[in-house]
Amino acid sequence: MVKAFLGMGLLGSNFVTAMLEKGDKVRVWNRSPEKAAALEPLGAEVFATPARAVQGAAFVHITLKDDQSVDEVLAAAETGLQPGTVIIDHTTTTKEGAIARTAAWKEKGFTYIHAPVFMGPANAREGSGYMLVSGNRAAVEKVSPLLEKMTGQLVDLGPEEGKAAAMKLIGNCFLVAFTAGLRDTFALAGALGQNTRDVGNLFEIWNPAQMLPARIRRMSGGDYSKPSWELAMARKDTQIFIDTVQQQGGHLAIMPAIAALMDEWIAKGLGGNDWNVIAKDVVR
């Protein structure tokens, strides 16, 4: 079975390397030819255009930048696709884009599956991490054995078109917020004379990540009248964070925005409520 892979960035090149090591025949293309050429010594067949790369391939994988690049590359590849080819897109895109491509390629006689990942280059190489998929049941069942070999866990999110795209964006949003929060935490630690090793040691003993499921339940429960931490008290601490760092000549990136959000809810008369009330208007 011949596979094609379009997009030889860090993720795509490591996926291809893993496929080649398993004995797969893989045809590759990349906008920057040298990245594709680097895989030729490993056994990849390198082509100058997407259309030539996908010729004879039963499955075409894509790892690109965004909706626009996916649409452009697939349009360039279309003349080389054989009837019945399955297109598997691992790119992080919009939900609307994934839904539109699923419908558009179905009309052309091809199967488009969106399978974004929570994987880095090392995960792609070793087949670990998480890959998401959703959509038509028959199509998902067809590609699942193939996808399971590429990742540590294939997460099937059901029949809803675009759900895999939505959940990938939600996950990435959390990662961005999480990392930005750590940035502010490190800034506060520095202002207080502590280093990042001290922060790491604290979180190894007191692991706040373990609180995440309970936190989600608390935030989405709808009853904030019995506080474990009053919003007004959380706001007081937040101001201490901000002031401490400013006094040392630094700045916090996201705490001022959080403080402003807290002020909005305090102005509504909810300062005595549990501080999770700041999510009241967005939980479903």
Side-chain angles (χ1 to χ4, degrees):
M1 177 180 62
V2 178
K3 301 175 184 177
F5 219 113
L6 309 177
M8 293 296 101
L10 292 175
L11 200 62
S13 60
N14 278 281
F15 272 134
V16 169
T17 298
M19 291 176 177
L20 294 171
E21 290 176 346
K22 295 173 183 175
D24 291 347
K25 184 177 181 180
V26 189
R27 301 162 65 93
V28 302
W29 168 86
N30 192 70
R31 196 181 304 273
S32 302
E34 63 274 10
K35 291 184 179 180
L39 294 166
E40 198 166 22
L42 301 179
E45 295 184 73
V46 180
F47 294 88
T49 67
R52 290 191 61 197
V54 302
Q55 288 177 357
F59 296 93
V60 175
H61 295 264
I62 311 169
T63 53
L64 297 170
K65 179 183 178 181
D66 52 21
D67 286 292
Q68 181 178 345
S69 60
V70 171
D71 289 335
E72 290 175 352
V73 170
L74 285 179
E78 185 173 356
T79 59
L81 296 172
Q82 67 179 10
T85 297
V86 177
I87 301 166
I88 305 172
D89 184 7
H90 304 291
T91 308
T92 299
T93 69
T94 64
K95 177 181 177 180
E96 295 79 9
I99 293 172
R101 277 185 291 277
T102 301
W105 286 97
K106 182 179 180 179
E107 288 183 6
K108 296 178 180 182
F110 302 99
T111 299
Y112 171 92
I113 295 285
H114 191 225
V117 301
F118 291 118
M119 300 171 68
N123 298 121
R125 178 67 181 273
E126 66 190 18
S128 60
Y130 298 85
M131 184 178 293
L132 313 180
V133 68
S134 68
N136 179 272
R137 296 293 80 196
V140 170
E141 289 177 8
K142 181 177 181 179
V143 301
S144 288
L146 174 66
L147 300 183
E148 286 170 351
K149 296 177 182 179
M150 297 174 63
T151 186
Q153 183 173 339
L154 180 64
V155 182
D156 186 348
L157 297 168
E160 180 184 338
E161 300 289 0
K163 186 164 187 176
M167 297 309 293
K168 175 59 195 300
L169 291 173
I170 291 166
N172 277 10
C173 179
F174 179 81
L175 290 177
V176 170
F178 179 74
T179 301
L182 277 177
R183 184 267 176 204
D184 275 13
T185 301
F186 294 152
L188 177 61
L192 291 168
Q194 310 302 311
N195 58 42
T196 54
R197 187 180 301 108
D198 297 324
V199 177
N201 290 339
L202 171 64
F203 288 166
E204 284 188 12
I205 300 168
W206 171 69
N207 184 357
Q210 295 176 343
M211 305 176 188
L212 186 58
R215 176 71 59 191
I216 292 173
R217 290 192 297 270
R218 186 71 182 267
M219 294 179 76
S220 59
D223 182 5
Y224 309 101
S225 63
K226 300 174 182 178
S228 60
W229 192 17
E230 290 184 355
L231 175 59
M233 296 301 290
R235 176 64 179 88
K236 178 265 296 182
D237 286 4
T238 301
Q239 193 62 48
I240 292 176
F241 310 155
I242 296 170
D243 292 344
T244 299
V245 174
Q246 287 181 341
Q247 288 164 7
Q248 296 298 317
H251 76 280
L252 296 179
I254 62 172
M255 287 299 154
I258 294 173
L261 178 62
M262 289 176 169
D263 287 341
E264 290 179 17
W265 289 95
I266 290 173
K268 296 176 183 179
L270 298 175
N273 277 232
D274 188 90
W275 77 293
N276 288 294
V277 74
I278 63 174
K280 184 178 180 179
D281 59 334
V282 295
V283 296
R284 298 176 61 183

